[in-house]
Amino acid sequence: MSSQLLFGILSGKLAPGEKLLRVRNLARHLKIHGNTMLAVYLDLAQCGWMHGQTGSGVFVRRLALPSAGDGLDELARGWLAEVGPE
């Protein structure tokens, strides 16, 4: 699940600043347990891909990544420069 959200962010399908569905709503839509969805959101937030604003929701972070049209190598280099290896 987290890889699908991450791909959405990297591909631009989920735009920077876009508000994501609430954990409970997305879990219900995907027919998975809410705790599983919460773990996905927390993992992506901890890695810097999204952030929560108390009372407002969860949003895709604005990252300075090259566009997918720049090629996979550029995309990977931009990603590593922005979030760095663990």
Side-chain angles (χ1 to χ4, degrees):
M1 173 53 53
S2 61
S3 60
Q4 291 171 319
L5 284 171
L6 182 55
F7 181 74
I9 294 168
L10 290 172
S11 69
K13 188 165 180 128
L14 294 172
E18 183 172 340
K19 184 176 180 178
L20 301 173
L21 290 175
R22 291 177 34 199
V23 169
R24 185 178 297 174
N25 293 349
L26 187 54
R28 191 176 304 132
H29 175 75
L30 297 173
K31 297 180 180 154
I32 61 174
H33 196 278
N35 288 343
T36 302
M37 196 68 247
L38 178 61
V40 168
Y41 271 27
L42 290 174
D43 181 51
L44 290 172
Q46 192 172 33
C47 292
W49 293 108
M50 56 181 58
H51 65 95
Q53 293 179 352
T54 304
S56 296
V58 178
F59 299 85
V60 175
R61 275 199 54 216
R62 297 184 188 279
L63 300 171
L65 295 175
S67 69
D70 292 336
L72 187 56
D73 289 340
E74 265 315 298
L75 187 62
R77 275 196 276 290
W79 176 76
L80 286 172
E82 182 68 33
V83 297
E86 289 189 21

